[in-house]
Amino acid sequence: MHIVVCVKMVPDTTLVQIDPKTNTLVREGVPFITNPFDTHAVEEALRLKDRYGGKVTALSMGPPAAEMVLRRALALGADEAVLLSDRAFGGADTLATSKVLSEAIRRIHENEPVDLVFCGLQTIDGDTAQVGPGVACRLGFTQLTLVDHIYEVNQRESYIEVRRKLEGAFERVQARMPALITTTREINTPRYPTVPGRLQAASRALPVWSNDVMKLERAEIGLQGSPTNVRRIFAPQREKGEIINGLNGAHLTAADCMLNKLYEWDILNAD
Amino acid sequence: MPWSRIIFTVLFIASIGLFLFNVYRLIAMLCLGRWENRFDHLLARLKGVLLFVFGQKRVVRRAFGVNHFFIFWGFMILLGMNSEFLIQGVFPEFSLRFLGRVPYGALLFATDIMSVVVLAAVALAVMRRIAFRPKYIEASRDAFLILGLIAMLMVAYFGVHAAEIALGETDMGGWMPVSGALAGAFATSTPEKIHRSLNASWWVHALALLAFLNYLPYSKHLHVLTAIPNVFFRRIDPVSVPPRLKFELGQDFGVSKVTQFTWKQLLDFMACTECGRCEDSCPAHGTGKDLSPKEMVHRGKLNLFINGGSLLNSRPIDTLAGAPREASMVKPLIDGTAESIPEKDVWSCATCGVCMEECPVFIEHAPKTLEMRRHLVMEKAEFPEELLSLFNNMEQRFNPWGIAPTDRAKWAQDLDIHIVKEDAPADYLFFVGCSGAYDSRARGIALAMAKILDRAGLSWGILGTEEKCCGDSLRRLGNEYVFDQIAQANVAQFKKLGITKVVTHCPHCYTTLKNDYRAYGAEFEVIHHSELIERLIAEGKLPVHARANGRVVYHDSCYLGRHNGLYDAPRHCVEAVSGQAPAEMERSHGRAFCCGAGGGRMWLEETEGKRINIDRTEQALKQNPAAIASACPFCMTMLEDGLKDLGKDGDVKVKDIAELVADAIE
Ligand code: SF4
Ligand code: SF4
Ligand code: SF4
C-alpha cells in the first residue's frame, strides 16, 4: 500500500499576536511548527503502514525551511519525502495550493500508484479546510473528510471503511480507493520520534521539486493562480465581556480571579 | 609425606585454582562493560578506602553496623593466621614466627580475642535475622550458610589451638588466653584423644576455609572481594552528572543491554552486600511502590551473570574485551521477569539520591536508572504518556507547560526590572526558571527575590522572554536529545551576554546550570538564592528583622542538599528571620525524604502506592509547624498539594526562604 501524507509548516499561531495599531500579524520570533492537524495525518498513515505494510511518502509545499516538517515525518517513520518549493508557488491560496499538491501527487502516482492520501483537517494558520477536498477533486479520488477512526483497509477489494465525525452524529462509510482522508485531532495520539530516527532523517537528501520539475502554468499557481485576496486582518473588537487572566495577580489562580469577579458583580454572595 | 598432607595439598591447589579462576571470570565479566575513567583523583580514592573500608564510616552510621565493624576487623586480623594455617598445611615447617616473638605473639593474641568477638557478632547477626529482623534484611539461606561457615571457622580455630596448648605443642600458649582457658577442657583426656580432636578440628578448619573461599563468588558475600575496589572507584564528584552524549548515527543512546553499562556500573552490581539500607530509605519503596534500589542492583547482577556468563562461554577463555555492540543477550535487561528490571520501576525513581547516600559500598543506583530511561525515551520512544506533551512543549516552547515564551516575563511586567542584553550587562543574572516565571504560586518567590536583590542594592537583571528552561526535567527523564539542544542554546546565550554570575531559586536549575552545563563549556558561577541571601544577611546588606514566625520546619530539597551539599545556608536564612533554628523532621539533611518531584517525577502521575508528597507532608506535620520552609519551587508545589490533600492548607503555610526573608525586610 502506498500512502501520501501532506504536511504544512505553519507559524505557532497560538503565539501570534495582532499588532493593534497596524492590524497585522506580529510574526517575529514566532517559531514554526508542523501544522498540528497534520501530525495526526502523519500518525494515521504510519499506523496503517504498521498494520498493513507498505510505504509512506510525505509531501509539503513551502519555503526551503519547510523541509523541517518533512524531516520530522521521516524521523517518525515516513519512507520518502518531497518538498515542493519555488518562488512561483508563493502567495498561493487554497485553490493554487491544491493545484500544486495534486499535480505532485499525480507525478508520484505515475511512478508508484497511490492508494491513500492523508491531510490534516485544516491548518491552524488558514483554518479553511479546503485544500484536502480540493486535492481530492482534482485527482478524482474519493473524498473522506473529518475522519476520526479507520476501521479497515481492504486492499484486495480496494475499499476503506472509516468513521466521520459530523455535527452531532457519526457516519460510518465504506469508500472506494484511492481515497483522500482528512483527519481530526481525535483520531490518534501522534508518536514521538526516536533519536536514531531523527538522526537518520537529518542526514538524508531531500528531493525538492521546483516549477522547473513540475512545469505548471504560471497562471494556475502562486499569487497569480489565487483568486482569494486578503484585504485586511484584524482582531475582532470585544464590545462586552472580559477575559479573566489568572496569571496577572501573582498569587491568584484563574479560579480565584473568577470568584472575585462573581462576588464583585453580586452574582455570588461572599458569605 | 603423610597421606593427609597430600590430600590437603591437592585440595588446596584445586580450591586456590578454582578461586583464582572465579576471580578471573569476574574480571572478564567487568571487561564486558564499557570503558570509563575512574583512575583519577587517586589520593581522594585512597582516603575513601581508609575512611569507608577500614574506618567503616558509613557502615557504622546505623547502630547494627558496629556488628559488621567487628566482623570486618576480625577478618582482617584473622587473615594473617589463616594464611599461615593454609601454608602450614602444605609446608608444616612454615611459621610467621620470623616476625619476632613479640609481634607474632601479639598477632596470636589479637586473633584469639578477635575470634571470640567474631563469634559473638555472628551469633548476634543470626539472632537479628531470626528474632528481630528489620524488613529490609532478608533471612536468606545464603546468609545463614555463610554465618554458619564463619562460626564453624572460629570454633574449629579454638579446637585446634586449645588442643595444641593441652598437648604442650606450642610455647606460645601464654599469648592465647581464650584458647588457653579452653585447653582446660582437655584436662581429663588422653593425649590420643586430644590428638584425634586436634586432627578433626584441623580438618574442619581447613575445609571450612577453602569452602568459604569458593562459596564467596556465588553469594552476596562476593562483596568481601568487590566492596573495597568499589569504594576505591566510587564517584568523587558530589553530584551524579550524566555523561554528555554524542548524537551521531551508530551510537547507542542509553542502556538496553547489561553490557552497555560501564565496568564500574557492573562492579556496582557485584559489590552489593544486600544490606537493604537503600531500600529502607527509598521514598518510592517506602510509599508502597515496587521499585527497590536493592532489588534493582540485585537483578542487575543476576542479569549480568546470565548474559555475561553466556558471552564468556562463547569465546576463548583468554579474551578480555568489551562485549561487541551487536552482541545478543540471553535475557533482556528491561523486562520484568525475575532476572531483569521492570520498565515501570525505571519510571518510579525520583533520582533523590538517598539510596546512594546510604549505601555503605557507594553503589550508584540513579545513574543506571537514567541510562535505562535514555534507552526507553531515545531509542524506543516508550514512556508514560503524560510525558509526550512535556517533551513537545519543551522542544517547541522551552517550558514544561507549553505556555507562550512571550509570556515568560509577565510576572515582572509591573516591576521595573532590568533585562540583561549584550550592551546592557548586570553583575548578577537572576535565572527565574519556568516555575518562577509561569507558576502562579512560584511567581511569589520570583517577586520576593526581586525585592531582596533590589533592597541589597545589587546590579541584577533577567533574560526576560529570552530565557529558556534549563532542561533539568528532560535530562533526568532521559530525553537527552532535547536537553542537549536546550543546554547548547543556553550556554551559547550566556556566553554571548558575557554572564559571569547566575542566581537561581530553583535547585533543579541550580544543579543543571552549575554541574550539567560544565560539559557544555559553561564557566559562569552559579549561586543558589539561599547562599546569596545568607551572605547578604551576614554582610548586613539586608535590613531584616527577626520576627516570630511561629514554629518553622525546614524541608531539604534533594538537589540542593544531597546532590550539592547545601544544607546550612537555607537553615541560616530561616534562622535569621525567625530568630531560631528551624525545627527538623526525623529525616533531614543527608537522609531527607524526597518530596516526590525530582527526576522529572513532577510531571508524572503517581498511581502506585501512597503519594510521596503526602507522606513527606505528614512527616512535616508531625513537628507541629506553623509553616514549612522550602528552598525549591517544586518542593513547594508538592508540599502545598500535600497540605491540601490532608486538609491542612488553612493551618500550615509553605513558604520559600526568599518569601520569609522578603517579609522580614523593613
Ligand atoms: S534515587 Fe531515590 S527514589 Fe530513586 S531508587 Fe534511589 S532512593 Fe529510590
Ligand atoms: S545497594 Fe548498597 S545499600 Fe543497597 S543493599 Fe546493596 S549494599 Fe546495601
Ligand atoms: S525549575 Fe528549572 S528545570 Fe524546572 S521547569 Fe523551571 S527552569 Fe525548568
Side-chain angles (χ1 to χ4, degrees):
Chain A
M1 187 161 54
H2 188 198
I3 306 172
V4 170
V5 54
C6 302
V7 281
K8 186 183 182 192
M9 179 179 82
V10 295
D12 191 348
T13 47
T14 39
L15 309 183
V16 173
Q17 279 155 354
I18 293 178
D19 187 321
K21 283 191 209 104
T22 58
N23 259 338
T24 51
L25 296 178
V26 187
R27 287 200 175 192
E28 266 126 67
V30 175
F32 284 96
I33 57 173
T34 304
N35 174 38
F37 288 92
D38 299 350
T39 62
H40 297 273
V42 172
E43 176 63 26
E44 203 54 31
L46 293 174
R47 286 189 187 189
L48 288 189
K49 178 183 144 186
D50 292 345
R51 206 160 129 196
Y52 298 106
K55 176 176 167 184
V56 173
T57 302
L59 183 65
S60 183
M61 184 180 96
E67 70 162 60
M68 83 174 228
V69 300
L70 291 175
R71 292 206 190 274
R72 176 88 180 185
L74 288 170
L76 290 167
D79 304 275
E80 305 276 344
V82 178
L83 177 64
L84 310 170
S85 191
D86 197 309
R87 280 189 178 279
F89 301 153
D93 67 359
T94 54
L95 192 76
T97 303
S98 63
K99 172 74 188 171
V100 179
L101 285 176
S102 57
E103 286 309 318
I105 295 171
R106 208 188 302 281
R107 286 177 67 93
I108 295 170
H109 188 66
E110 276 160 16
N111 221 335
E112 196 175 350
V114 173
D115 303 286
L116 288 171
V117 176
F118 276 95
C119 295
L121 176 62
Q122 62 200 49
T123 59
I124 56 167
D125 58 346
D127 280 330
T128 63
Q130 291 167 349
V131 171
V135 171
C137 284
R138 290 176 189 267
L139 289 171
F141 283 15
T142 316
Q143 193 187 124
L144 295 164
T145 52
L146 293 158
V147 171
D148 76 343
H149 184 70
I150 293 178
Y151 295 102
E152 180 195 7
V153 177
N154 191 321
Q155 285 169 272
R156 212 156 30 92
E157 292 171 41
S158 197
Y159 69 83
I160 182 168
E161 190 173 333
V162 303
R163 187 173 71 190
R164 299 182 61 224
K165 190 181 179 220
L166 309 177
E167 228 163 286
F170 287 113
E171 187 182 79
R172 184 170 178 160
V173 282
Q174 245 182 31
R176 183 178 49 82
M177 293 206 290
L180 182 141
I181 291 167
T182 73
T183 54
T184 64
R185 299 188 72 164
E186 293 78 39
I187 190 167
N188 55 38
T189 308
R191 67 192 64 187
Y192 193 71
T194 65
V195 169
R198 292 196 203 228
L199 296 176
Q200 232 141 34
S203 66
R204 281 179 58 167
L206 249 180
V208 180
W209 293 354
S210 65
N211 204 31
D212 295 345
V213 180
M214 301 283 292
K215 299 194 172 52
L216 300 174
E217 288 294 329
R218 280 287 179 142
E220 285 185 296
I221 59 172
L223 208 52
Q224 280 184 46
S226 301
T228 319
N229 224 327
V230 179
R231 300 271 282 278
R232 190 164 81 92
I233 296 174
F234 60 95
Q237 289 301 317
R238 196 183 318 117
E239 268 138 35
K240 271 199 277 180
E242 171 186 0
I243 291 178
I244 296 172
N245 190 342
L247 296 177
N248 278 337
H251 293 278
L252 293 182
T253 60
D256 284 331
C257 294
M258 188 104 82
L259 267 180
N260 286 343
K261 280 288 170 207
L262 294 178
Y263 295 145
E264 220 174 88
W265 297 333
D266 259 350
I267 295 172
L268 263 186
N269 202 325
D271 337 301
Chain B
M1 199 164 31
W3 273 110
S4 63
R5 222 164 92 204
I6 295 175
I7 295 175
F8 177 78
T9 308
V10 171
L11 274 177
F12 176 73
I13 293 175
S15 22
I16 295 288
L18 188 62
F19 173 74
L20 290 178
F21 174 72
N22 275 327
V23 171
Y24 172 77
R25 280 267 297 194
L26 292 175
I27 294 174
M29 205 113 45
L30 290 183
C31 291
L32 290 173
R34 297 211 174 128
W35 170 248
E36 169 183 20
N37 184 16
R38 296 270 182 141
F39 290 87
D40 48 355
H41 306 286
L42 289 177
L43 217 65
R45 295 186 182 284
L46 279 174
K47 234 174 87 188
V49 170
L50 283 180
L51 213 61
F52 297 107
V53 176
F54 296 103
Q56 300 267 294
K57 196 169 164 211
R58 278 195 173 184
V59 178
V60 299
R61 263 195 208 159
R62 295 207 177 186
F64 208 82
V66 178
N67 205 49
H68 185 273
F69 180 88
F70 285 117
I71 298 187
F72 171 80
W73 273 104
F75 256 82
M76 282 292 145
I77 289 166
L78 267 47
L79 213 56
M81 292 315 293
N82 279 318
S83 316
E84 185 196 44
F85 177 90
L86 286 176
I87 300 173
Q88 267 175 353
V90 185
F91 307 104
E93 292 73 34
F94 178 82
S95 163
L96 288 178
R97 239 166 228 276
F98 64 81
L99 295 172
R101 189 176 161 81
V102 174
Y104 183 57
L107 189 60
L108 281 175
F109 177 77
T111 307
D112 209 53
I113 300 295
M114 266 334 227
S115 296
V116 185
V117 173
V118 170
L119 205 54
V122 165
L124 258 176
V126 169
M127 264 165 54
R128 180 181 187 224
R129 280 171 175 75
I130 295 172
F132 50 101
R133 181 169 68 86
K135 75 173 192 311
Y136 57 90
I137 283 276
E138 276 164 63
S140 61
R141 210 177 52 198
D142 189 31
F144 288 121
L145 202 77
I146 214 90
L147 288 171
L149 262 178
I150 299 175
M152 204 191 283
L153 266 175
M154 301 301 124
V155 172
Y157 161 87
F158 286 122
V160 171
H161 287 270
E164 276 178 357
I165 294 171
L167 286 170
E169 281 185 5
T170 171
D171 57 343
M172 304 295 286
W175 292 94
M176 294 180 276
V178 185
S179 301
L182 289 172
F186 289 116
T188 56
S189 310
T190 60
E192 289 97 82
K193 240 179 142 182
I194 305 179
H195 249 293
R196 245 183 286 134
S197 156
L198 170 69
N199 235 330
S201 297
W202 192 91
W203 273 103
V204 169
H205 193 261
L207 293 178
L209 201 57
L210 295 180
F212 184 75
L213 207 58
N214 280 299
Y215 182 61
L216 276 190
Y218 302 101
S219 73
K220 67 172 187 156
H221 288 75
L222 178 56
H223 83 266
V224 173
L225 304 175
T226 46
I228 301 180
N230 210 56
V231 171
F232 181 80
F233 290 120
R234 77 199 182 283
R235 80 190 141 90
I236 299 291
D237 297 333
V239 218
S240 59
V241 182
R244 184 176 170 182
L245 293 185
K246 255 205 217 98
F247 289 100
E248 283 167 7
L249 276 172
Q251 298 273 341
D252 293 327
F253 307 102
V255 166
S256 61
K257 298 192 270 193
V258 71
T259 51
Q260 288 171 319
F261 283 123
T262 71
W263 64 270
K264 172 58 180 59
Q265 288 171 317
L266 299 183
L267 182 60
D268 272 356
F269 289 146
M270 297 181 185
C272 178
T273 71
E274 293 176 31
C275 72
R277 294 181 183 194
C278 53
E279 178 182 298
D280 181 47
S281 44
C282 171
H285 191 81
T287 50
K289 292 158 191 67
D290 286 337
L291 167 66
S292 149
K294 166 181 144 187
E295 182 66 19
M296 191 189 88
V297 172
H298 185 61
R299 284 165 180 251
K301 170 172 152 177
L302 296 178
N303 195 278
L304 170 65
F305 283 1
I306 293 177
N307 290 314
S310 110
L311 269 174
L312 292 186
N313 290 341
S314 71
R315 63 189 197 184
I317 196 159
D318 59 344
T319 336
L320 275 185
R325 189 164 173 256
E326 64 290 345
S328 62
M329 296 285 129
V330 194
K331 191 102 213 163
L333 178 67
I334 311 168
D335 165 329
T337 50
E339 297 92 1
S340 74
I341 295 157
E343 188 170 325
K344 168 176 73 86
D345 293 2
V346 172
W347 294 110
S348 295
C349 175
T351 67
C352 74
V354 73
C355 48
M356 304 189 274
E357 179 79 19
E358 286 285 291
C359 180
V361 294
F362 289 82
I363 284 167
E364 298 155 17
H365 313 72
K368 297 183 186 61
T369 309
L370 176 69
E371 288 297 344
M372 292 186 276
R373 286 186 180 180
R374 282 178 164 184
H375 159 71
L376 290 171
V377 171
M378 294 195 288
E379 296 186 322
K380 291 182 83 181
E382 266 174 24
F383 41 78
E385 57 183 351
E386 310 90 277
L387 295 183
L388 188 68
S389 60
L390 175 82
F391 289 163
N392 285 327
N393 290 339
M394 287 285 200
E395 195 169 350
Q396 283 167 16
R397 297 179 176 183
F398 315 115
N399 70 76
W401 299 282
I403 305 173
T406 41
D407 284 355
R408 200 165 179 113
K410 258 197 174 164
W411 69 275
Q413 66 189 3
D414 301 331
L415 307 169
D416 181 25
I417 294 183
H418 176 68
I419 306 283
V420 177
K421 299 245 165 65
E422 246 170 302
D423 50 3
D427 291 351
Y428 290 89
L429 170 71
F430 174 34
F431 190 82
V432 185
C434 307
S435 302
Y438 293 114
D439 181 84
S440 58
R441 175 65 186 89
R443 280 178 172 192
I445 311 175
L447 293 170
M449 277 304 289
K451 179 172 174 190
I452 290 168
L453 294 165
D454 272 342
R455 292 302 296 269
L458 297 176
S459 138
W460 67 283
I462 58 174
L463 294 173
T465 53
E466 295 299 307
E467 187 185 283
K468 292 183 172 70
C469 176
C470 64
D472 166 78
S473 294
L474 286 169
R475 188 161 228 210
R476 318 294 161 219
L477 286 166
N479 196 335
E480 188 72 7
Y481 184 80
V482 179
F483 169 78
D484 190 77
Q485 293 178 338
I486 290 194
Q488 287 188 38
N490 280 342
V491 172
Q493 183 197 24
F494 280 31
K495 282 196 166 162
K496 196 180 90 193
L497 295 175
I499 280 156
T500 54
K501 287 188 196 137
V502 185
V503 188
T504 165
H505 62 258
C506 173
H508 297 272
C509 303
Y510 175 72
T511 202
T512 307
L513 298 179
K514 178 177 167 155
N515 302 308
D516 297 81
Y517 282 9
R518 270 291 117 89
Y520 290 83
E523 278 156 8
F524 39 82
E525 183 190 353
V526 184
I527 309 159
H528 188 249
H529 74 331
S530 61
E531 296 174 283
L532 181 71
I533 297 173
E534 180 195 34
R535 200 174 73 213
L536 291 174
I537 294 177
E539 288 171 357
K541 292 198 179 133
L542 268 186
V544 287
H545 278 252
R547 15 182 254 177
N549 273 324
R551 199 170 152 84
V552 179
V553 64
Y554 175 70
H555 161 78
D556 282 286
S557 138
C558 315
Y559 274 89
L560 201 59
R562 260 190 306 274
H563 290 271
N564 283 294
L566 278 178
Y567 296 113
D568 295 335
R571 287 182 166 81
H572 290 159
C573 297
V574 175
E575 192 170 349
V577 297
S578 57
Q580 56 183 359
E584 297 291 350
M585 288 182 243
E586 198 182 311
R587 287 187 58 176
S588 71
H589 294 83
R591 293 197 63 234
F593 196 89
C594 178
C595 71
R601 292 261 356 143
M602 178 79 182
W603 317 108
L604 287 163
E605 300 290 342
E606 193 177 340
T607 47
E608 199 188 346
K610 183 178 179 182
R611 295 227 310 274
I612 295 179
N613 65 324
I614 296 199
D615 202 289
R616 185 54 167 170
T617 310
E618 285 169 353
Q619 296 174 31
L621 289 175
K622 270 201 197 136
Q623 304 301 324
N624 290 318
I628 306 173
S630 65
C632 168
F634 285 7
C635 301
M636 170 179 266
T637 304
M638 295 311 264
L639 295 169
E640 283 196 337
D641 285 353
L643 286 175
K644 272 177 213 147
D645 279 341
L646 294 168
K648 294 282 187 206
D649 52 327
D651 317 332
V652 182
K653 296 266 164 290
V654 183
K655 286 276 196 179
D656 188 89
I657 53 155
E659 296 178 314
L660 290 173
V661 171
D663 287 348
I665 295 177
E666 311 272 280

